[in-house]
Amino acid sequence: MKKSLNTVFLIAGSEPLGSAGMQADIKAITACGGYAACAVTSIVDEDTRRIKNIFHLPVDLIVSQAESFLGDIETGCIKTGVLPSEEIIRGVAGVLRKFNHIPLVVDPVIVNSLGVQLVTDSAIDAYKNELFPLATLITPNWREAEVLLGHKLENIEEDIKELGRWGCSVIIKSIASGEGWLSDYLYDAKTDKVREFRKPRIITRNVNGTGDSFSSAISTYIATKYSLEEAVEKGEEFISRAISLGAEYEFGHGFGPVHPCFMEDKTVHQRIYNEK
C-alpha cells in the first residue's frame, strides 16, 4: 500500500530562537501530525527582546525553492509567513498561481505586537491584489485587520466580511471580549457565516510565534482533510494548549515561545500517513 504524508509547504522566514517563523511553523505542523517543508524568504537576527538585523533572500531564489518543492511533491496545504517586500510578495504570488488547486493559508505579517507597521504600503497593496485573491484563508490579528481595513474594528461581522471581499475566508485573532477574555472570529466564505471562538486570556510573556503556530496548525488540519471550520476548531484547541504549557517555562529576558510539543491524541499522529 502506498502512503502519502500530510504535507504543509511553508514560505516563511527563519530566526535563531526557534520560537517564531519557520521554526515555530515546523514544530506546530509536526505536533499536529503533518510533514513540514519550507522555502526561506528572510533570515532574522534577534534575541527575545529585539530584532537586530534582517537579510532578505533574492526573489528568484525564493521562487526557485517553491517551484522545486511544489513541482515535485504532493502538497496538502501551502502557508505563507513573513514576506518582507512587495517584490517578494509578487514573486511568491506568481508561483502560487501555478498551484492554485492547493489550499492556501496567508498569514499577513504586517504589524508587530506594538502596532508598528513592518512592511511598506506597497507591500500591503501587493498582499491585497496578488495573494489574498488566491487564498483559502487569511489570518490577520486585530491590529493587522485594522491596517487592511483602513479603519478601527467596529462591527465585527461587517468588518470581517469586508476582509473576505477577495473571495477568501478570514479569521481575525485576539480581539478583547470582556475582562480576562479574548475572541477569534472566523468568516467562512463558502457558508457566509461568522463564528466566534471565545477563550480565557492566559497571562504570559511567552507568546512569540503564537500567530505562526496557530496558522500552521490550521494549515495542517486542512492538509489532513478537515473542513475549514473543523480545522480552525482544532487549531484553537492546539494553540490554547501550547500557550498554556509555554507559560510554565522561563526563556530568555524578553518574549519566549509557546510550547507546541505536548503529546497530542495518538490518532492525530497516525494521520501523518494516509493510505492510498
Side-chain angles (χ1 to χ4, degrees):
M1 293 289 290
K2 292 286 187 179
K3 297 180 179 180
S4 63
L5 295 161
N6 290 317
T7 302
V8 178
F9 185 67
L10 306 161
I11 305 175
S14 172
E15 53 81 59
L17 302 175
S19 58
M22 61 176 281
Q23 285 83 355
D25 293 326
I26 290 168
K27 291 172 187 174
I29 291 164
T30 304
C32 293
Y35 178 90
C38 187
V40 182
T41 60
S42 60
I43 299 171
V44 178
D45 177 17
E46 67 179 5
D47 58 25
T48 59
R49 290 171 289 193
R50 65 188 179 95
I51 294 174
K52 300 177 180 180
N53 198 5
I54 303 176
F55 175 76
H56 303 329
L57 271 69
V59 177
D60 59 351
L61 180 57
I62 297 168
V63 167
S64 182
Q65 289 178 85
E67 289 178 336
S68 292
F69 187 87
L70 294 171
D72 187 25
I73 311 298
E74 182 179 341
T75 306
C77 190
I78 301 168
K79 184 221 148 178
T80 66
V82 170
L83 303 175
S85 71
E86 176 187 0
E87 293 74 20
I88 289 173
I89 294 167
R90 293 186 183 281
V92 167
V95 176
L96 297 184
R97 286 191 194 95
K98 302 175 187 177
F99 300 94
N100 61 5
H101 61 286
I102 302 172
L104 170 64
V105 175
V106 175
D107 186 6
V109 184
I110 59 177
V111 178
N112 70 13
S113 59
L114 300 176
V116 177
Q117 188 170 310
L118 300 174
V119 298
T120 63
D121 289 342
S122 61
I124 293 172
D125 287 341
Y127 265 112
K128 294 177 180 179
N129 298 327
E130 303 286 337
L131 267 186
F132 290 172
L134 302 174
T136 305
L137 175 70
I138 65 173
T139 65
N141 61 37
W142 68 271
R143 292 183 187 276
E144 290 163 339
E146 290 184 341
V147 170
L148 293 169
L149 288 165
H151 59 76
K152 298 289 186 182
L153 290 168
E154 296 169 352
N155 182 309
I156 190 63
E157 185 153 339
E158 291 180 3
D159 290 339
I160 198 169
K161 288 185 177 182
E162 184 179 344
L163 289 175
R165 66 185 181 273
W166 296 280
C168 54
S169 296
V170 184
I171 186 163
I172 302 178
K173 303 171 294 188
S174 303
I175 299 174
S177 59
E179 186 174 352
W181 293 86
L182 295 173
S183 288
D184 299 337
Y185 290 88
L186 171 67
Y187 168 61
D188 189 327
K190 288 186 177 180
T191 63
D192 197 40
K193 292 181 179 179
V194 177
R195 178 176 171 185
E196 178 184 10
F197 295 86
R198 196 163 185 256
K199 52 197 175 183
R201 184 193 296 268
I202 299 169
I203 305 302
T204 176
R205 290 176 64 84
N206 291 344
V207 294
N208 195 27
T210 302
D212 301 323
S213 299
F214 181 43
S215 55
S216 286
I218 294 171
S219 299
T220 307
Y221 293 125
I222 290 173
T224 317
K225 308 304 182 186
Y226 284 98
S227 70
L228 177 63
E229 186 171 356
E230 290 170 335
V232 173
E233 284 180 349
K234 294 188 71 65
E236 291 281 0
E237 179 185 357
F238 167 81
I239 197 61
S240 293
R241 293 175 67 186
I243 295 171
S244 180
L245 182 58
E248 299 176 10
Y249 292 85
E250 291 185 2
F251 191 90
H253 298 88
F255 293 96
V258 302
H259 196 317
C261 298
F262 53 79
M263 283 300 295
E264 266 281 15
D265 179 55
K266 290 182 181 179
T267 59
V268 175
H269 287 286
Q270 288 169 358
R271 291 194 201 103
I272 194 167
Y273 294 103
N274 282 334
E275 291 192 1
K276 278 190 169 182

